[in-house]
Amino acid sequence: MRTLLNVIWLVFAGIWLAIGYALAGVICCVLIVTIPFGIASFRIAAYALWPFGRTVERDPDAGVLSLLGNIIWFVVAGVWLAIGHVVTSIPLFLSIIGIPMGVANLKLIPVSLLPLGARIVDLD
């Protein structure tokens, strides 16, 4: 079932989200100071491609720099990304078939709000 949901997600939403996050990652990697944000964007892009069967887990060893980076990310991009995920999940919830994809879209909010110090792990 996860594979079927991931394929449907990939076709209708995942590819576009992943392209957006990957493009943001490239832009962040061009600017030397924002390379950690670029790496986080690439991680989110991979998660956005295939979200079913994976989850976000906080790294307990993340330090103060991760916290400061998350504060900067939250102010500059995190809030807007979270609002975008909520807004795009609303029409998905209106159809029965789109409900799992709306849930997957909401699952992306924690990592899009605070990407540094987060790991994406398989549920298995």
Side-chain angles (χ1 to χ4, degrees):
M1 190 60 150
R2 287 181 189 167
T3 305
L4 178 63
L5 287 171
N6 276 323
V7 169
I8 294 170
W9 170 264
L10 180 71
V11 170
F12 290 109
I15 192 73
W16 305 113
L17 281 171
I19 288 171
Y21 279 114
L23 197 60
V26 168
I27 292 169
C28 287
C29 284
V30 168
L31 305 169
I32 304 299
V33 177
T34 57
I35 287 177
F37 299 124
I39 294 169
S41 291
F42 290 134
R43 249 191 347 258
I44 299 170
Y47 184 46
L49 272 177
W50 212 253
F52 294 98
R54 301 195 299 176
T55 189
V56 176
E57 186 177 274
R58 289 283 152 204
D59 186 7
D61 297 331
V64 175
L65 291 177
S66 175
L67 175 68
L68 293 174
N70 276 333
I71 291 170
I72 293 168
W73 176 273
F74 183 84
V75 172
V76 173
V79 172
W80 303 111
L81 290 171
I83 290 170
H85 283 298
V86 169
V87 168
T88 56
S89 70
I90 291 170
L92 292 171
F93 280 117
L94 295 178
S95 70
I96 294 173
I97 295 171
I99 290 173
M101 289 184 276
V103 171
N105 212 347
L106 293 179
K107 266 178 49 174
L108 287 165
I109 291 175
V111 75
S112 68
L113 274 175
L114 306 169
L116 302 175
R119 292 184 295 194
I120 298 165
V121 296
D122 290 331
L123 290 175
D124 299 333

Short mmCIF file of all heavy atoms in Angstrom, two decimals, residues 6 8-27 37-51 54 73 81 85 88 104-105 108 111-112 120:
data_model
loop_
_atom_site.label_atom_id
_atom_site.label_comp_id
_atom_site.label_asym_id
_atom_site.label_seq_id
_atom_site.Cartn_x
_atom_site.Cartn_y
_atom_site.Cartn_z
N ASN A 6 2.92 6.12 -2.49
CA ASN A 6 4.11 6.89 -2.88
C ASN A 6 4.12 7.20 -4.37
O ASN A 6 4.52 8.29 -4.77
CB ASN A 6 5.39 6.14 -2.48
CG ASN A 6 5.77 6.39 -1.05
OD1 ASN A 6 5.62 7.50 -0.55
ND2 ASN A 6 6.26 5.37 -0.38
N ILE A 8 1.43 7.47 -6.36
CA ILE A 8 0.40 8.49 -6.59
C ILE A 8 0.90 9.85 -6.10
O ILE A 8 0.74 10.87 -6.78
CB ILE A 8 -0.92 8.10 -5.89
CG1 ILE A 8 -1.51 6.86 -6.55
CG2 ILE A 8 -1.92 9.24 -5.92
CD1 ILE A 8 -2.67 6.25 -5.80
N TRP A 9 1.51 9.87 -4.92
CA TRP A 9 2.07 11.11 -4.36
C TRP A 9 3.13 11.68 -5.30
O TRP A 9 3.16 12.88 -5.55
CB TRP A 9 2.66 10.84 -2.98
CG TRP A 9 3.46 11.96 -2.44
CD1 TRP A 9 4.80 12.13 -2.50
CD2 TRP A 9 2.96 13.13 -1.79
NE1 TRP A 9 5.17 13.30 -1.91
CE2 TRP A 9 4.07 13.93 -1.46
CE3 TRP A 9 1.70 13.56 -1.42
CZ2 TRP A 9 3.94 15.14 -0.79
CZ3 TRP A 9 1.57 14.76 -0.76
CH2 TRP A 9 2.69 15.54 -0.45
N LEU A 10 4.01 10.83 -5.80
CA LEU A 10 5.10 11.26 -6.68
C LEU A 10 4.55 11.95 -7.93
O LEU A 10 5.03 13.02 -8.31
CB LEU A 10 5.97 10.07 -7.07
CG LEU A 10 7.14 10.35 -7.98
CD1 LEU A 10 8.21 11.14 -7.24
CD2 LEU A 10 7.73 9.05 -8.50
N VAL A 11 3.54 11.36 -8.52
CA VAL A 11 2.99 11.90 -9.76
C VAL A 11 2.27 13.24 -9.52
O VAL A 11 2.45 14.18 -10.28
CB VAL A 11 2.04 10.88 -10.42
CG1 VAL A 11 1.27 11.49 -11.57
CG2 VAL A 11 2.81 9.66 -10.87
N PHE A 12 1.47 13.31 -8.46
CA PHE A 12 0.62 14.49 -8.28
C PHE A 12 1.24 15.60 -7.46
O PHE A 12 0.88 16.76 -7.64
CB PHE A 12 -0.73 14.09 -7.69
CG PHE A 12 -1.58 13.32 -8.64
CD1 PHE A 12 -1.82 11.97 -8.46
CD2 PHE A 12 -2.12 13.93 -9.76
CE1 PHE A 12 -2.60 11.26 -9.36
CE2 PHE A 12 -2.89 13.23 -10.66
CZ PHE A 12 -3.13 11.89 -10.46
N ALA A 13 2.12 15.29 -6.53
CA ALA A 13 2.64 16.35 -5.67
C ALA A 13 4.14 16.24 -5.42
O ALA A 13 4.83 17.25 -5.35
CB ALA A 13 1.89 16.36 -4.34
N GLY A 14 4.62 15.04 -5.24
CA GLY A 14 5.99 14.84 -4.79
C GLY A 14 7.06 15.38 -5.71
O GLY A 14 8.03 15.99 -5.25
N ILE A 15 6.88 15.20 -7.00
CA ILE A 15 7.91 15.65 -7.94
C ILE A 15 8.03 17.17 -7.91
O ILE A 15 9.14 17.72 -7.95
CB ILE A 15 7.64 15.12 -9.37
CG1 ILE A 15 8.85 15.34 -10.28
CG2 ILE A 15 6.43 15.75 -9.99
CD1 ILE A 15 9.99 14.42 -9.99
N TRP A 16 6.91 17.87 -7.79
CA TRP A 16 6.95 19.33 -7.79
C TRP A 16 7.52 19.87 -6.49
O TRP A 16 8.30 20.83 -6.51
CB TRP A 16 5.54 19.89 -8.04
CG TRP A 16 4.97 19.35 -9.30
CD1 TRP A 16 3.90 18.50 -9.41
CD2 TRP A 16 5.47 19.54 -10.63
NE1 TRP A 16 3.72 18.17 -10.73
CE2 TRP A 16 4.66 18.79 -11.50
CE3 TRP A 16 6.53 20.26 -11.17
CZ2 TRP A 16 4.85 18.76 -12.87
CZ3 TRP A 16 6.72 20.23 -12.54
CH2 TRP A 16 5.90 19.49 -13.36
N LEU A 17 7.17 19.25 -5.38
CA LEU A 17 7.74 19.67 -4.10
C LEU A 17 9.25 19.40 -4.08
O LEU A 17 10.03 20.24 -3.63
CB LEU A 17 7.08 18.91 -2.95
CG LEU A 17 5.72 19.40 -2.50
CD1 LEU A 17 5.12 18.42 -1.51
CD2 LEU A 17 5.82 20.76 -1.89
N ALA A 18 9.64 18.24 -4.58
CA ALA A 18 11.06 17.89 -4.57
C ALA A 18 11.86 18.82 -5.46
O ALA A 18 12.98 19.24 -5.11
CB ALA A 18 11.24 16.44 -5.02
N ILE A 19 11.31 19.18 -6.61
CA ILE A 19 12.01 20.13 -7.50
C ILE A 19 12.16 21.47 -6.81
O ILE A 19 13.22 22.10 -6.87
CB ILE A 19 11.25 20.26 -8.84
CG1 ILE A 19 11.43 18.99 -9.67
CG2 ILE A 19 11.73 21.47 -9.62
CD1 ILE A 19 10.56 18.93 -10.91
N GLY A 20 11.12 21.92 -6.12
CA GLY A 20 11.19 23.20 -5.41
C GLY A 20 12.22 23.18 -4.30
O GLY A 20 13.04 24.11 -4.19
N TYR A 21 12.22 22.14 -3.50
CA TYR A 21 13.20 22.04 -2.43
C TYR A 21 14.62 21.87 -2.97
O TYR A 21 15.57 22.42 -2.43
CB TYR A 21 12.87 20.88 -1.48
CG TYR A 21 11.81 21.22 -0.45
CD1 TYR A 21 10.58 20.60 -0.46
CD2 TYR A 21 12.07 22.15 0.54
CE1 TYR A 21 9.61 20.91 0.48
CE2 TYR A 21 11.11 22.47 1.49
CZ TYR A 21 9.89 21.84 1.46
OH TYR A 21 8.94 22.15 2.39
N ALA A 22 14.78 21.10 -4.06
CA ALA A 22 16.11 20.93 -4.66
C ALA A 22 16.62 22.24 -5.25
O ALA A 22 17.81 22.57 -5.12
CB ALA A 22 16.07 19.84 -5.73
N LEU A 23 15.75 23.00 -5.87
CA LEU A 23 16.13 24.31 -6.40
C LEU A 23 16.56 25.25 -5.27
O LEU A 23 17.58 25.95 -5.39
CB LEU A 23 14.96 24.92 -7.18
CG LEU A 23 15.26 26.05 -8.13
CD1 LEU A 23 16.23 25.60 -9.20
CD2 LEU A 23 13.98 26.54 -8.77
N ALA A 24 15.82 25.22 -4.18
CA ALA A 24 16.21 26.03 -3.02
C ALA A 24 17.55 25.55 -2.46
O ALA A 24 18.38 26.36 -2.04
CB ALA A 24 15.14 25.95 -1.94
N GLY A 25 17.79 24.25 -2.48
CA GLY A 25 19.06 23.71 -2.02
C GLY A 25 20.22 24.15 -2.88
O GLY A 25 21.30 24.47 -2.37
N VAL A 26 20.02 24.18 -4.19
CA VAL A 26 21.08 24.65 -5.10
C VAL A 26 21.39 26.11 -4.83
O VAL A 26 22.56 26.51 -4.76
CB VAL A 26 20.67 24.41 -6.57
CG1 VAL A 26 21.60 25.13 -7.52
CG2 VAL A 26 20.65 22.93 -6.88
N ILE A 27 20.36 26.92 -4.69
CA ILE A 27 20.57 28.34 -4.42
C ILE A 27 21.31 28.53 -3.09
O ILE A 27 22.23 29.34 -2.99
CB ILE A 27 19.23 29.10 -4.42
CG1 ILE A 27 18.66 29.12 -5.84
CG2 ILE A 27 19.39 30.51 -3.89
CD1 ILE A 27 17.23 29.60 -5.93
N PHE A 37 21.78 25.01 5.10
CA PHE A 37 20.38 25.10 4.68
C PHE A 37 20.17 24.37 3.35
O PHE A 37 19.12 23.77 3.13
CB PHE A 37 19.94 26.55 4.54
CG PHE A 37 20.03 27.33 5.82
CD1 PHE A 37 20.77 28.49 5.89
CD2 PHE A 37 19.38 26.90 6.96
CE1 PHE A 37 20.86 29.21 7.06
CE2 PHE A 37 19.46 27.61 8.14
CZ PHE A 37 20.21 28.77 8.19
N GLY A 38 21.15 24.44 2.46
CA GLY A 38 21.07 23.72 1.19
C GLY A 38 21.03 22.22 1.40
O GLY A 38 20.23 21.51 0.77
N ILE A 39 21.87 21.72 2.29
CA ILE A 39 21.88 20.29 2.58
C ILE A 39 20.54 19.87 3.18
O ILE A 39 19.99 18.82 2.84
CB ILE A 39 23.06 19.95 3.50
CG1 ILE A 39 24.37 20.18 2.74
CG2 ILE A 39 22.98 18.52 4.00
CD1 ILE A 39 25.61 20.13 3.61
N ALA A 40 20.02 20.68 4.07
CA ALA A 40 18.70 20.39 4.66
C ALA A 40 17.61 20.40 3.59
O ALA A 40 16.70 19.56 3.62
CB ALA A 40 18.38 21.40 5.76
N SER A 41 17.70 21.30 2.64
CA SER A 41 16.72 21.35 1.55
C SER A 41 16.78 20.10 0.69
O SER A 41 15.75 19.58 0.27
CB SER A 41 16.94 22.59 0.68
OG SER A 41 16.62 23.75 1.38
N PHE A 42 17.98 19.60 0.44
CA PHE A 42 18.11 18.35 -0.32
C PHE A 42 17.52 17.17 0.45
O PHE A 42 16.88 16.29 -0.14
CB PHE A 42 19.57 18.08 -0.67
CG PHE A 42 20.14 19.04 -1.69
CD1 PHE A 42 21.38 19.61 -1.49
CD2 PHE A 42 19.44 19.37 -2.83
CE1 PHE A 42 21.91 20.49 -2.41
CE2 PHE A 42 19.96 20.26 -3.76
CZ PHE A 42 21.20 20.81 -3.55
N ARG A 43 17.69 17.15 1.77
CA ARG A 43 17.11 16.09 2.59
C ARG A 43 15.58 16.15 2.54
O ARG A 43 14.90 15.11 2.41
CB ARG A 43 17.57 16.25 4.04
CG ARG A 43 18.49 15.19 4.51
CD ARG A 43 18.74 15.18 6.00
NE ARG A 43 18.33 16.31 6.78
CZ ARG A 43 19.13 17.27 7.21
NH1 ARG A 43 20.41 17.24 6.92
NH2 ARG A 43 18.67 18.26 7.93
N ILE A 44 15.04 17.36 2.62
CA ILE A 44 13.59 17.52 2.55
C ILE A 44 13.08 17.13 1.16
O ILE A 44 12.01 16.54 1.02
CB ILE A 44 13.16 18.95 2.90
CG1 ILE A 44 13.58 19.30 4.32
CG2 ILE A 44 11.66 19.14 2.75
CD1 ILE A 44 13.42 20.77 4.66
N ALA A 45 13.85 17.44 0.12
CA ALA A 45 13.45 17.07 -1.26
C ALA A 45 13.35 15.56 -1.39
O ALA A 45 12.40 15.05 -2.00
CB ALA A 45 14.45 17.64 -2.26
N ALA A 46 14.30 14.83 -0.82
CA ALA A 46 14.25 13.37 -0.89
C ALA A 46 13.05 12.84 -0.11
O ALA A 46 12.39 11.88 -0.55
CB ALA A 46 15.54 12.78 -0.34
N TYR A 47 12.75 13.46 1.00
CA TYR A 47 11.58 13.06 1.80
C TYR A 47 10.29 13.40 1.07
O TYR A 47 9.32 12.63 1.12
CB TYR A 47 11.64 13.75 3.16
CG TYR A 47 10.58 13.37 4.14
CD1 TYR A 47 10.23 12.05 4.37
CD2 TYR A 47 9.91 14.35 4.88
CE1 TYR A 47 9.26 11.71 5.30
CE2 TYR A 47 8.95 14.02 5.81
CZ TYR A 47 8.63 12.69 6.01
OH TYR A 47 7.67 12.36 6.94
N ALA A 48 10.25 14.52 0.38
CA ALA A 48 9.05 14.93 -0.35
C ALA A 48 8.78 14.03 -1.55
O ALA A 48 7.64 13.91 -1.98
CB ALA A 48 9.18 16.38 -0.81
N LEU A 49 9.80 13.38 -2.07
CA LEU A 49 9.60 12.46 -3.19
C LEU A 49 8.88 11.19 -2.75
O LEU A 49 8.04 10.67 -3.49
CB LEU A 49 10.94 12.07 -3.81
CG LEU A 49 11.47 12.96 -4.91
CD1 LEU A 49 12.83 12.46 -5.35
CD2 LEU A 49 10.53 13.05 -6.08
N TRP A 50 9.21 10.66 -1.59
CA TRP A 50 8.74 9.35 -1.16
C TRP A 50 8.42 9.38 0.33
O TRP A 50 9.14 8.78 1.14
CB TRP A 50 9.85 8.34 -1.46
CG TRP A 50 9.43 6.97 -1.81
CD1 TRP A 50 9.57 5.87 -1.01
CD2 TRP A 50 8.87 6.49 -3.02
NE1 TRP A 50 9.12 4.77 -1.65
CE2 TRP A 50 8.67 5.12 -2.90
CE3 TRP A 50 8.48 7.11 -4.20
CZ2 TRP A 50 8.13 4.33 -3.91
CZ3 TRP A 50 7.94 6.34 -5.22
CH2 TRP A 50 7.77 4.98 -5.06
N PRO A 51 7.34 10.06 0.78
CA PRO A 51 7.11 10.27 2.22
C PRO A 51 6.49 9.09 2.97
O PRO A 51 6.68 8.96 4.17
CB PRO A 51 6.19 11.47 2.26
CG PRO A 51 5.41 11.36 1.00
CD PRO A 51 6.37 10.80 -0.01
N ARG A 54 8.15 6.63 5.90
CA ARG A 54 9.28 7.32 6.54
C ARG A 54 8.73 8.37 7.50
O ARG A 54 7.59 8.81 7.36
CB ARG A 54 10.18 7.98 5.51
CG ARG A 54 10.75 6.97 4.54
CD ARG A 54 11.90 7.45 3.74
NE ARG A 54 11.61 8.59 2.89
CZ ARG A 54 12.53 9.19 2.17
NH1 ARG A 54 13.77 8.78 2.19
NH2 ARG A 54 12.22 10.22 1.43
N TRP A 73 16.13 29.86 9.90
CA TRP A 73 15.31 29.20 8.88
C TRP A 73 13.82 29.44 9.15
O TRP A 73 13.06 29.71 8.23
CB TRP A 73 15.60 27.70 8.87
CG TRP A 73 14.76 26.93 7.92
CD1 TRP A 73 13.53 26.41 8.16
CD2 TRP A 73 15.06 26.61 6.56
NE1 TRP A 73 13.04 25.76 7.05
CE2 TRP A 73 13.97 25.87 6.06
CE3 TRP A 73 16.15 26.84 5.74
CZ2 TRP A 73 13.95 25.37 4.77
CZ3 TRP A 73 16.12 26.34 4.45
CH2 TRP A 73 15.03 25.62 3.97
N LEU A 81 6.85 28.04 4.32
CA LEU A 81 6.72 26.66 3.82
C LEU A 81 5.60 25.92 4.55
O LEU A 81 4.83 25.19 3.92
CB LEU A 81 8.05 25.92 4.00
CG LEU A 81 9.18 26.36 3.09
CD1 LEU A 81 10.48 25.72 3.53
CD2 LEU A 81 8.87 26.02 1.65
N HIS A 85 2.27 24.27 2.93
CA HIS A 85 1.86 22.87 3.09
C HIS A 85 0.43 22.76 3.62
O HIS A 85 -0.33 21.90 3.18
CB HIS A 85 2.83 22.13 4.02
CG HIS A 85 4.12 21.77 3.37
ND1 HIS A 85 4.22 20.93 2.29
CD2 HIS A 85 5.39 22.15 3.65
CE1 HIS A 85 5.48 20.80 1.94
NE2 HIS A 85 6.22 21.54 2.74
N THR A 88 -2.00 23.75 0.73
CA THR A 88 -2.11 22.74 -0.32
C THR A 88 -2.72 21.43 0.19
O THR A 88 -3.23 20.64 -0.60
CB THR A 88 -0.76 22.43 -0.97
OG1 THR A 88 0.17 22.03 0.03
CG2 THR A 88 -0.23 23.61 -1.74
N ALA A 104 0.19 13.28 4.26
CA ALA A 104 1.62 13.31 3.92
C ALA A 104 2.11 14.75 3.79
O ALA A 104 3.24 15.06 4.19
CB ALA A 104 1.87 12.56 2.62
N ASN A 105 1.28 15.60 3.25
CA ASN A 105 1.66 17.01 3.14
C ASN A 105 1.82 17.64 4.52
O ASN A 105 2.74 18.42 4.75
CB ASN A 105 0.60 17.76 2.33
CG ASN A 105 1.17 18.89 1.54
OD1 ASN A 105 2.30 19.31 1.73
ND2 ASN A 105 0.37 19.40 0.63
N LEU A 108 5.10 16.85 6.31
CA LEU A 108 6.27 17.61 5.88
C LEU A 108 6.45 18.90 6.69
O LEU A 108 7.52 19.51 6.63
CB LEU A 108 6.17 17.95 4.39
CG LEU A 108 6.39 16.79 3.44
CD1 LEU A 108 5.90 17.16 2.05
CD2 LEU A 108 7.84 16.40 3.40
N VAL A 111 9.50 19.12 9.48
CA VAL A 111 10.84 19.20 8.90
C VAL A 111 11.01 20.47 8.07
O VAL A 111 12.12 20.98 7.94
CB VAL A 111 11.18 17.93 8.10
CG1 VAL A 111 10.46 17.89 6.78
CG2 VAL A 111 12.67 17.80 7.91
N SER A 112 9.94 21.00 7.53
CA SER A 112 10.08 22.25 6.78
C SER A 112 10.17 23.45 7.73
O SER A 112 10.72 24.48 7.37
CB SER A 112 8.92 22.44 5.80
OG SER A 112 7.72 22.65 6.48
N ILE A 120 15.57 11.88 8.75
CA ILE A 120 14.45 11.21 8.12
C ILE A 120 14.77 9.71 8.14
O ILE A 120 15.78 9.30 7.59
CB ILE A 120 14.21 11.73 6.71
CG1 ILE A 120 13.86 13.21 6.79
CG2 ILE A 120 13.10 10.94 6.02
CD1 ILE A 120 13.96 13.95 5.51
#
